[in-house]
Amino acid sequence: MKQQFTSMDPEFRAAIEEQKQVYNKAAIKSQAGEAEYKEAILRLLKLSQSDSSAGEVAAQILLSTYNSYNWHAPLAWFCHLDALNFDAAITVIKGRWSLHAEPHNVIQNGRALFNDLEKRWPNLPTQG
């Protein structure tokens, strides 16, 4: 198999190498550090305490990354967020993906905070 790669057309090989570089850049860009993830979770938790449409979106995003079997964040709702909170939402999603850590496990007293979040927003769209 390796021999086939070395005899490959140089233009095709260059295209493969270019795609590897593009992939690696995307993978690095998609990473979120634990501190950044934690900060974004706390920002959205604070926002979720307001009775605004942005607070509702923040709650839905957090609950969706916490338990996606029951909670779903409609992507069009992201339009209710300002730039800072949109960035926090994206960071929470990136952190959930790249760190493989549920948000309630990243913050102090997370289980209780997320239980309270579920109680505060009982009418959010769910799967069930």
Side-chain angles (χ1 to χ4, degrees), residues 22-104:
V22 168
Y23 175 83
N24 289 337
K25 285 180 185 177
I28 290 167
K29 188 177 178 182
S30 296
Q31 299 295 312
E34 189 170 342
E36 181 184 28
Y37 183 36
K38 180 179 178 178
E39 183 181 316
I41 292 165
L42 294 173
R43 179 179 190 82
L44 293 185
L45 272 172
K46 183 177 179 181
L47 179 59
S48 72
Q49 298 307 306
S50 73
D51 289 327
S52 66
S53 58
E56 183 177 18
V57 174
Q60 192 74 25
I61 291 164
L62 288 170
L63 290 170
S64 181
T65 56
Y66 168 65
N67 181 348
S68 62
Y69 293 106
N70 293 334
W71 305 93
H72 302 277
L75 297 179
W77 285 17
F78 281 61
C79 295
H80 294 285
L81 300 173
D82 64 20
L84 290 174
N85 291 316
F86 175 79
D87 189 53
I90 295 301
T91 300
V92 167
I93 293 167
K94 283 182 179 183
R96 179 65 178 93
W97 174 79
S98 66
L99 298 171
H100 300 283
E102 294 178 7
H104 69 286

Coordinates of all heavy atoms in Angstrom, one line a residue, residues 22-104:
V22 N -5.3 21.4 6.0 CA -6.6 22.0 6.2 C -7.3 21.3 7.4 O -7.8 21.9 8.3 CB -7.4 22.0 4.9 CG1 -8.9 22.4 5.2 CG2 -6.8 22.9 3.9
Y23 N -7.3 20.0 7.4 CA -7.9 19.2 8.4 C -7.2 19.5 9.8 O -7.9 19.7 10.8 CB -7.8 17.7 8.1 CG -8.4 16.9 9.3 CD1 -9.7 16.6 9.4 CD2 -7.5 16.4 10.3 CE1 -10.2 15.9 10.5 CE2 -8.0 15.6 11.3 CZ -9.3 15.4 11.4 OH -9.8 14.7 12.5
N24 N -5.9 19.5 9.8 CA -5.2 19.8 11.1 C -5.5 21.2 11.6 O -5.7 21.3 12.8 CB -3.7 19.5 10.9 CG -3.4 18.1 10.7 OD1 -4.1 17.2 11.2 ND2 -2.2 17.8 10.1
K25 N -5.6 22.1 10.7 CA -5.9 23.5 11.2 C -7.3 23.5 11.7 O -7.6 24.2 12.8 CB -5.8 24.5 10.0 CG -4.4 24.8 9.7 CD -4.3 25.8 8.5 CE -2.9 26.1 8.1 NZ -2.9 27.0 6.9
A26 N -8.3 22.9 11.1 CA -9.7 22.8 11.6 C -9.7 22.1 12.9 O -10.5 22.6 13.8 CB -10.6 22.1 10.6
A27 N -9.0 21.0 13.1 CA -9.0 20.3 14.3 C -8.5 21.2 15.5 O -9.0 21.2 16.6 CB -8.2 19.0 14.2
I28 N -7.4 21.9 15.2 CA -6.8 22.8 16.2 C -7.8 23.9 16.6 O -8.0 24.2 17.7 CB -5.5 23.3 15.8 CG1 -4.4 22.2 15.8 CG2 -5.0 24.5 16.6 CD1 -3.1 22.6 15.0
K29 N -8.4 24.5 15.6 CA -9.4 25.6 15.7 C -10.6 25.1 16.5 O -11.2 25.9 17.2 CB -9.8 26.1 14.4 CG -10.6 27.4 14.4 CD -10.9 27.9 13.1 CE -11.8 29.1 13.1 NZ -12.1 29.6 11.8
S30 N -11.0 23.9 16.4 CA -12.1 23.3 17.1 C -11.9 22.9 18.5 O -12.8 22.6 19.2 CB -12.6 22.1 16.3 OG -13.0 22.4 15.0
Q31 N -10.7 23.0 19.0 CA -10.4 22.7 20.4 C -10.8 23.8 21.3 O -10.8 25.0 20.9 CB -8.9 22.4 20.5 CG -8.3 21.3 19.7 CD -8.9 19.9 20.1 OE1 -8.9 19.6 21.2 NE2 -9.3 19.2 19.1
A32 N -11.1 23.5 22.5 CA -11.4 24.5 23.6 C -10.7 24.0 24.8 O -10.7 22.8 25.1 CB -12.9 24.6 23.8
G33 N -10.0 24.9 25.5 CA -9.3 24.5 26.7 C -10.3 24.4 27.8 O -11.4 25.0 27.8
E34 N -9.9 23.7 28.9 CA -10.9 23.5 30.0 C -11.2 24.8 30.7 O -12.4 25.0 31.1 CB -10.3 22.5 31.0 CG -11.3 22.1 32.1 CD -10.8 21.0 32.9 OE1 -9.9 20.2 32.6 OE2 -11.4 20.8 34.0
A35 N -10.3 25.7 30.9 CA -10.6 27.0 31.5 C -11.5 27.8 30.7 O -12.5 28.4 31.2 CB -9.3 27.8 31.7
E36 N -11.3 27.8 29.4 CA -12.2 28.5 28.4 C -13.6 27.9 28.5 O -14.6 28.6 28.5 CB -11.6 28.4 27.0 CG -12.3 29.1 25.9 CD -11.7 28.9 24.6 OE1 -11.0 27.8 24.4 OE2 -11.9 29.8 23.7
Y37 N -13.7 26.6 28.5 CA -15.0 25.9 28.5 C -15.7 26.2 29.8 O -16.9 26.6 29.8 CB -14.7 24.4 28.5 CG -15.8 23.4 28.4 CD1 -17.0 23.7 27.8 CD2 -15.7 22.2 29.0 CE1 -18.0 22.8 27.7 CE2 -16.7 21.3 29.0 CZ -17.9 21.6 28.3 OH -18.9 20.7 28.3
K38 N -15.0 26.2 31.0 CA -15.6 26.5 32.2 C -16.1 27.9 32.3 O -17.3 28.2 32.7 CB -14.6 26.3 33.4 CG -15.1 26.6 34.7 CD -14.0 26.3 35.8 CE -14.5 26.7 37.2 NZ -13.5 26.4 38.2
E39 N -15.3 28.9 31.8 CA -15.8 30.3 31.8 C -17.0 30.4 30.9 O -17.9 31.2 31.3 CB -14.6 31.1 31.2 CG -14.9 32.6 31.2 CD -13.7 33.4 30.6 OE1 -12.6 33.1 31.0 OE2 -14.0 34.3 29.8
A40 N -17.1 29.8 29.8 CA -18.3 29.9 28.9 C -19.5 29.3 29.6 O -20.6 29.8 29.4 CB -18.0 29.2 27.6
I41 N -19.3 28.1 30.2 CA -20.4 27.5 31.0 C -21.0 28.5 32.0 O -22.2 28.7 32.1 CB -20.0 26.2 31.6 CG1 -19.7 25.1 30.5 CG2 -21.1 25.7 32.6 CD1 -18.9 23.9 31.1
L42 N -20.1 29.0 32.8 CA -20.5 30.0 33.8 C -21.2 31.2 33.3 O -22.2 31.7 33.8 CB -19.3 30.4 34.7 CG -18.7 29.2 35.5 CD1 -17.5 29.6 36.3 CD2 -19.8 28.7 36.5
R43 N -20.7 31.7 32.1 CA -21.3 32.9 31.5 C -22.8 32.5 31.1 O -23.7 33.3 31.3 CB -20.5 33.3 30.3 CG -21.1 34.5 29.5 CD -20.2 34.9 28.4 NE -20.7 36.1 27.9 CZ -20.4 37.3 28.4 NH1 -19.6 37.4 29.4 NH2 -20.9 38.4 27.9
L44 N -22.9 31.4 30.4 CA -24.3 31.0 30.0 C -25.2 30.7 31.2 O -26.4 30.9 31.1 CB -24.2 29.8 29.0 CG -23.6 30.1 27.7 CD1 -23.7 28.9 26.8 CD2 -24.2 31.3 27.0
L45 N -24.6 30.1 32.3 CA -25.4 29.8 33.5 C -26.0 31.2 34.0 O -27.1 31.3 34.4 CB -24.6 29.1 34.5 CG -24.6 27.6 34.5 CD1 -23.6 27.0 35.5 CD2 -26.0 27.0 34.7
K46 N -25.1 32.2 34.1 CA -25.5 33.5 34.6 C -26.6 34.1 33.7 O -27.6 34.6 34.1 CB -24.3 34.4 34.6 CG -24.7 35.8 35.2 CD -23.4 36.6 35.3 CE -23.8 38.0 35.9 NZ -22.6 38.9 36.0
L47 N -26.4 34.0 32.4 CA -27.4 34.5 31.4 C -28.7 33.7 31.5 O -29.8 34.3 31.4 CB -26.9 34.4 30.0 CG -27.8 34.8 28.9 CD1 -28.2 36.3 29.0 CD2 -27.1 34.6 27.5
S48 N -28.6 32.4 31.8 CA -29.9 31.6 31.9 C -30.7 32.0 33.1 O -31.9 31.6 33.2 CB -29.5 30.1 31.9 OG -29.0 29.8 33.2
Q49 N -30.2 32.8 34.0 CA -31.0 33.3 35.1 C -31.9 34.4 34.8 O -32.8 34.8 35.6 CB -30.1 33.6 36.3 CG -29.3 32.5 36.8 CD -30.1 31.3 37.2 OE1 -31.0 31.3 37.9 NE2 -29.8 30.1 36.6
S50 N -31.7 35.0 33.6 CA -32.6 36.1 33.2 C -33.8 35.5 32.5 O -33.8 34.4 32.0 CB -31.9 37.1 32.2 OG -31.7 36.5 31.0
D51 N -34.9 36.3 32.5 CA -36.1 35.9 31.8 C -36.2 36.4 30.4 O -37.3 36.5 29.8 CB -37.4 36.4 32.6 CG -37.5 35.7 33.9 OD1 -37.2 34.5 34.0 OD2 -38.0 36.3 34.9
S52 N -35.1 36.6 29.8 CA -35.0 37.1 28.4 C -35.0 35.9 27.4 O -34.7 34.7 27.8 CB -33.8 37.9 28.2 OG -32.6 37.1 28.3
S53 N -35.1 36.2 26.1 CA -35.0 35.2 25.1 C -33.6 34.7 25.1 O -33.3 33.5 24.8 CB -35.4 35.7 23.7 OG -34.6 36.8 23.3
A54 N -32.6 35.5 25.3 CA -31.2 35.1 25.4 C -31.0 34.1 26.6 O -30.2 33.1 26.4 CB -30.3 36.3 25.5
G55 N -31.6 34.4 27.7 CA -31.5 33.5 28.8 C -32.1 32.1 28.5 O -31.6 31.1 28.9
E56 N -33.2 32.1 27.8 CA -33.8 30.8 27.4 C -32.9 30.1 26.4 O -32.7 28.8 26.6 CB -35.1 31.2 26.6 CG -35.9 29.9 26.2 CD -37.2 30.3 25.6 OE1 -37.4 31.5 25.1 OE2 -38.1 29.4 25.5
V57 N -32.2 30.8 25.5 CA -31.3 30.1 24.6 C -30.1 29.6 25.4 O -29.7 28.4 25.1 CB -30.8 31.1 23.5 CG1 -29.7 30.5 22.6 CG2 -32.0 31.6 22.7
A58 N -29.6 30.3 26.3 CA -28.5 29.9 27.1 C -28.8 28.6 27.9 O -28.0 27.6 27.9 CB -28.0 31.0 28.1
A59 N -30.0 28.6 28.4 CA -30.5 27.4 29.2 C -30.6 26.2 28.2 O -30.1 25.1 28.5 CB -31.8 27.7 29.8
Q60 N -31.1 26.4 27.1 CA -31.3 25.3 26.1 C -30.0 24.8 25.6 O -29.8 23.6 25.5 CB -32.1 25.8 24.9 CG -32.6 24.7 24.0 CD -33.8 23.9 24.6 OE1 -34.5 24.4 25.4 NE2 -33.9 22.7 24.1
I61 N -29.0 25.6 25.4 CA -27.7 25.2 25.0 C -27.0 24.4 26.1 O -26.5 23.3 25.8 CB -26.8 26.4 24.6 CG1 -27.3 27.0 23.3 CG2 -25.3 26.0 24.4 CD1 -26.8 28.4 23.0
L62 N -27.0 24.9 27.3 CA -26.4 24.2 28.4 C -27.1 22.8 28.6 O -26.4 21.8 28.8 CB -26.5 25.0 29.7 CG -25.6 26.2 29.7 CD1 -25.9 27.1 30.9 CD2 -24.1 25.8 29.7
L63 N -28.4 22.8 28.6 CA -29.1 21.6 28.9 C -28.9 20.6 27.7 O -28.8 19.4 27.9 CB -30.6 21.8 29.1 CG -30.9 22.5 30.4 CD1 -32.4 23.0 30.4 CD2 -30.6 21.6 31.6
S64 N -28.8 21.1 26.5 CA -28.5 20.2 25.4 C -27.1 19.6 25.4 O -26.9 18.4 25.1 CB -28.6 21.0 24.1 OG -28.4 20.2 23.0
T65 N -26.1 20.3 25.9 CA -24.8 19.7 26.0 C -24.7 18.9 27.3 O -23.8 18.0 27.4 CB -23.7 20.8 26.1 OG1 -24.0 21.7 27.1 CG2 -23.6 21.6 24.7
Y66 N -25.6 19.0 28.2 CA -25.7 18.3 29.4 C -26.4 16.9 29.2 O -25.9 15.9 29.6 CB -26.4 19.1 30.5 CG -26.9 18.4 31.7 CD1 -26.0 17.9 32.7 CD2 -28.2 18.3 32.0 CE1 -26.4 17.3 33.8 CE2 -28.7 17.8 33.2 CZ -27.7 17.2 34.1 OH -28.2 16.7 35.3
N67 N -27.5 17.0 28.5 CA -28.3 15.8 28.2 C -29.0 15.9 26.9 O -30.1 16.4 26.8 CB -29.3 15.6 29.3 CG -30.1 14.3 29.1 OD1 -30.1 13.7 28.1 ND2 -30.9 14.0 30.2
S68 N -28.3 15.6 25.8 CA -28.8 15.8 24.5 C -29.9 14.8 24.1 O -30.6 14.9 23.1 CB -27.7 15.7 23.4 OG -27.1 14.5 23.4
Y69 N -30.1 13.8 24.9 CA -31.2 12.8 24.7 C -32.6 13.5 25.0 O -33.6 13.2 24.4 CB -31.1 11.6 25.5 CG -29.9 10.8 25.1 CD1 -28.7 10.7 25.9 CD2 -29.9 10.1 23.9 CE1 -27.6 10.0 25.4 CE2 -28.8 9.3 23.5 CZ -27.7 9.3 24.2 OH -26.6 8.6 23.8
N70 N -32.5 14.4 26.0 CA -33.8 15.1 26.4 C -33.9 16.5 25.9 O -35.0 17.0 25.8 CB -33.9 15.0 27.9 CG -34.1 13.6 28.4 OD1 -34.6 12.8 27.7 ND2 -33.7 13.4 29.7
W71 N -32.8 17.2 25.7 CA -32.8 18.6 25.4 C -32.2 18.9 24.1 O -31.2 18.3 23.8 CB -32.1 19.4 26.5 CG -32.6 19.1 27.8 CD1 -32.2 18.2 28.7 CD2 -33.7 19.8 28.5 NE1 -32.9 18.2 29.9 CE2 -33.9 19.2 29.8 CE3 -34.6 20.8 28.1 CZ2 -34.8 19.6 30.7 CZ3 -35.6 21.2 29.0 CH2 -35.7 20.6 30.3
H72 N -32.8 19.7 23.3 CA -32.3 20.1 22.0 C -32.2 21.6 21.8 O -33.2 22.3 22.1 CB -33.1 19.5 20.9 CG -33.2 18.0 21.0 ND1 -32.3 17.1 20.5 CD2 -34.1 17.2 21.6 CE1 -32.6 15.9 20.8 NE2 -33.7 15.9 21.5
A73 N -31.1 22.1 21.3 CA -31.0 23.5 21.1 C -31.3 23.9 19.6 O -30.4 23.5 18.8 CB -29.6 24.0 21.5
P74 N -32.4 24.5 19.3 CA -32.7 24.9 17.9 C -31.7 25.9 17.5 O -31.5 26.9 18.1 CB -34.1 25.5 18.0 CG -34.7 24.9 19.3 CD -33.5 24.8 20.2
L75 N -31.0 25.6 16.4 CA -29.9 26.5 16.0 C -30.4 27.9 15.6 O -29.6 28.9 15.8 CB -29.2 25.9 14.8 CG -28.5 24.5 15.1 CD1 -27.8 24.0 13.9 CD2 -27.5 24.7 16.2
A76 N -31.6 28.1 15.1 CA -32.1 29.4 14.8 C -32.2 30.3 16.0 O -32.1 31.5 16.0 CB -33.4 29.3 14.1
W77 N -32.3 29.7 17.2 CA -32.3 30.5 18.5 C -31.0 31.2 18.8 O -31.0 32.2 19.5 CB -32.7 29.5 19.6 CG -34.1 29.1 19.7 CD1 -35.0 29.1 18.7 CD2 -34.7 28.5 20.8 NE1 -36.2 28.6 19.2 CE2 -36.0 28.2 20.5 CE3 -34.3 28.1 22.1 CZ2 -36.9 27.6 21.3 CZ3 -35.1 27.5 22.9 CH2 -36.5 27.3 22.6
F78 N -29.9 30.8 18.2 CA -28.7 31.4 18.4 C -28.7 32.9 18.0 O -28.0 33.7 18.5 CB -27.5 30.7 17.6 CG -27.0 29.5 18.3 CD1 -27.8 28.4 18.5 CD2 -25.7 29.4 18.7 CE1 -27.4 27.2 19.1 CE2 -25.2 28.2 19.3 CZ -26.0 27.2 19.5
C79 N -29.7 33.2 17.1 CA -29.8 34.6 16.7 C -30.2 35.6 17.8 O -30.1 36.8 17.7 CB -30.8 34.7 15.6 SG -30.3 33.8 14.1
H80 N -30.7 35.0 18.9 CA -31.1 35.8 20.1 C -29.9 36.2 21.0 O -30.1 36.9 21.9 CB -32.2 35.1 21.0 CG -33.5 34.8 20.3 ND1 -34.4 35.8 20.1 CD2 -34.0 33.7 19.7 CE1 -35.4 35.3 19.4 NE2 -35.2 34.0 19.2
L81 N -28.8 35.7 20.6 CA -27.6 36.0 21.5 C -26.8 37.2 20.9 O -26.6 37.3 19.7 CB -26.7 34.8 21.5 CG -27.3 33.5 22.2 CD1 -26.4 32.3 22.0 CD2 -27.7 33.7 23.6
D82 N -26.2 38.0 21.8 CA -25.2 39.0 21.3 C -23.9 38.3 21.0 O -23.8 37.1 21.2 CB -25.1 40.1 22.3 CG -24.5 39.7 23.6 OD1 -23.8 38.6 23.7 OD2 -24.7 40.4 24.6
A83 N -22.9 39.0 20.5 CA -21.7 38.4 20.1 C -20.9 37.7 21.2 O -20.4 36.6 21.0 CB -20.8 39.5 19.5
L84 N -20.9 38.3 22.4 CA -20.2 37.6 23.5 C -20.8 36.3 23.9 O -20.2 35.3 24.2 CB -20.1 38.6 24.7 CG -19.1 39.8 24.5 CD1 -19.3 40.7 25.7 CD2 -17.7 39.3 24.3
N85 N -22.2 36.3 24.0 CA -22.9 35.1 24.4 C -22.9 34.1 23.3 O -22.9 32.9 23.6 CB -24.3 35.5 24.9 CG -24.2 36.2 26.2 OD1 -23.4 35.9 27.1 ND2 -24.9 37.3 26.3
F86 N -22.9 34.5 22.1 CA -22.8 33.6 20.9 C -21.5 32.9 21.0 O -21.4 31.6 20.9 CB -23.0 34.3 19.6 CG -22.8 33.4 18.4 CD1 -23.8 32.5 18.0 CD2 -21.6 33.4 17.7 CE1 -23.6 31.7 16.9 CE2 -21.4 32.5 16.7 CZ -22.4 31.7 16.3
D87 N -20.4 33.6 21.3 CA -19.1 33.0 21.4 C -19.0 32.0 22.5 O -18.4 31.0 22.4 CB -18.0 34.1 21.6 CG -16.6 33.6 21.5 OD1 -16.3 32.9 20.5 OD2 -15.8 33.8 22.4
A88 N -19.7 32.4 23.7 CA -19.7 31.5 24.8 C -20.4 30.2 24.4 O -20.0 29.1 24.8 CB -20.4 32.1 26.0
A89 N -21.5 30.3 23.7 CA -22.3 29.1 23.3 C -21.5 28.2 22.4 O -21.4 27.0 22.6 CB -23.6 29.6 22.5
I90 N -20.7 28.8 21.4 CA -19.9 28.0 20.6 C -18.8 27.4 21.4 O -18.4 26.2 21.1 CB -19.3 28.9 19.4 CG1 -20.5 29.4 18.5 CG2 -18.3 28.2 18.6 CD1 -21.3 28.3 17.9
T91 N -18.2 28.1 22.3 CA -17.2 27.6 23.2 C -17.7 26.4 24.0 O -17.0 25.4 24.2 CB -16.6 28.6 24.1 OG1 -16.0 29.7 23.2 CG2 -15.5 28.1 25.0
V92 N -18.9 26.5 24.5 CA -19.5 25.3 25.2 C -19.6 24.1 24.3 O -19.3 23.0 24.7 CB -20.8 25.7 25.9 CG1 -21.6 24.5 26.4 CG2 -20.6 26.7 27.0
I93 N -20.1 24.3 23.1 CA -20.2 23.2 22.2 C -18.8 22.7 21.8 O -18.7 21.4 21.8 CB -21.0 23.7 20.9 CG1 -22.4 24.0 21.3 CG2 -20.9 22.6 19.8 CD1 -23.2 24.8 20.2
K94 N -17.9 23.5 21.6 CA -16.5 23.1 21.3 C -15.9 22.3 22.5 O -15.3 21.3 22.3 CB -15.6 24.2 20.9 CG -15.7 24.8 19.6 CD -14.7 25.9 19.4 CE -14.8 26.6 18.0 NZ -13.8 27.6 17.9
G95 N -16.1 22.8 23.6 CA -15.6 22.2 24.8 C -16.2 20.8 25.1 O -15.5 19.9 25.4
R96 N -17.5 20.7 24.9 CA -18.2 19.4 25.0 C -17.6 18.4 24.1 O -17.4 17.3 24.4 CB -19.7 19.6 24.8 CG -20.5 18.4 25.0 CD -20.4 17.8 26.4 NE -21.2 16.7 26.6 CZ -20.8 15.4 26.5 NH1 -19.5 15.2 26.1 NH2 -21.6 14.4 26.6
W97 N -17.3 18.9 22.8 CA -16.8 18.0 21.8 C -15.4 17.7 22.0 O -15.0 16.5 22.0 CB -17.0 18.6 20.4 CG -16.4 17.9 19.3 CD1 -16.9 16.8 18.7 CD2 -15.1 18.2 18.7 NE1 -16.0 16.3 17.7 CE2 -14.9 17.2 17.7 CE3 -14.2 19.1 18.9 CZ2 -13.8 17.2 16.9 CZ3 -13.0 19.1 18.0 CH2 -12.9 18.1 17.1
S98 N -14.5 18.7 22.2 CA -13.1 18.4 22.3 C -12.6 17.9 23.6 O -11.6 17.1 23.6 CB -12.3 19.7 21.9 OG -12.5 20.7 22.9
L99 N -13.2 18.2 24.7 CA -12.8 17.7 26.0 C -13.5 16.4 26.4 O -13.2 15.8 27.4 CB -13.0 18.8 27.1 CG -12.1 20.0 26.8 CD1 -12.5 21.1 27.8 CD2 -10.6 19.7 26.9
H100 N -14.6 16.1 25.7 CA -15.5 15.0 26.1 C -15.9 15.0 27.6 O -15.9 14.0 28.3 CB -14.8 13.6 25.8 CG -14.4 13.5 24.4 ND1 -15.3 13.1 23.4 CD2 -13.2 13.6 23.7 CE1 -14.7 13.1 22.2 NE2 -13.4 13.4 22.4
A101 N -16.2 16.3 28.0 CA -16.6 16.5 29.4 C -18.0 17.1 29.4 O -18.1 18.2 28.8 CB -15.6 17.3 30.1
E102 N -18.9 16.5 30.1 CA -20.2 17.1 30.3 C -20.0 18.4 31.1 O -19.2 18.5 32.0 CB -21.2 16.2 30.9 CG -21.4 15.0 30.1 CD -22.4 14.0 30.7 OE1 -22.9 14.2 31.8 OE2 -22.5 12.9 30.1
P103 N -20.8 19.5 30.8 CA -20.6 20.8 31.4 C -20.8 20.8 32.9 O -20.0 21.5 33.6 CB -21.6 21.7 30.7 CG -22.6 20.8 30.1 CD -21.9 19.5 29.8
H104 N -21.7 20.0 33.4 CA -21.9 19.9 34.9 C -20.7 19.3 35.6 O -20.5 19.6 36.8 CB -23.2 19.2 35.2 CG -23.1 17.7 35.0 ND1 -23.2 17.2 33.7 CD2 -23.0 16.7 35.8 CE1 -23.1 15.9 33.8 NE2 -23.0 15.5 35.1

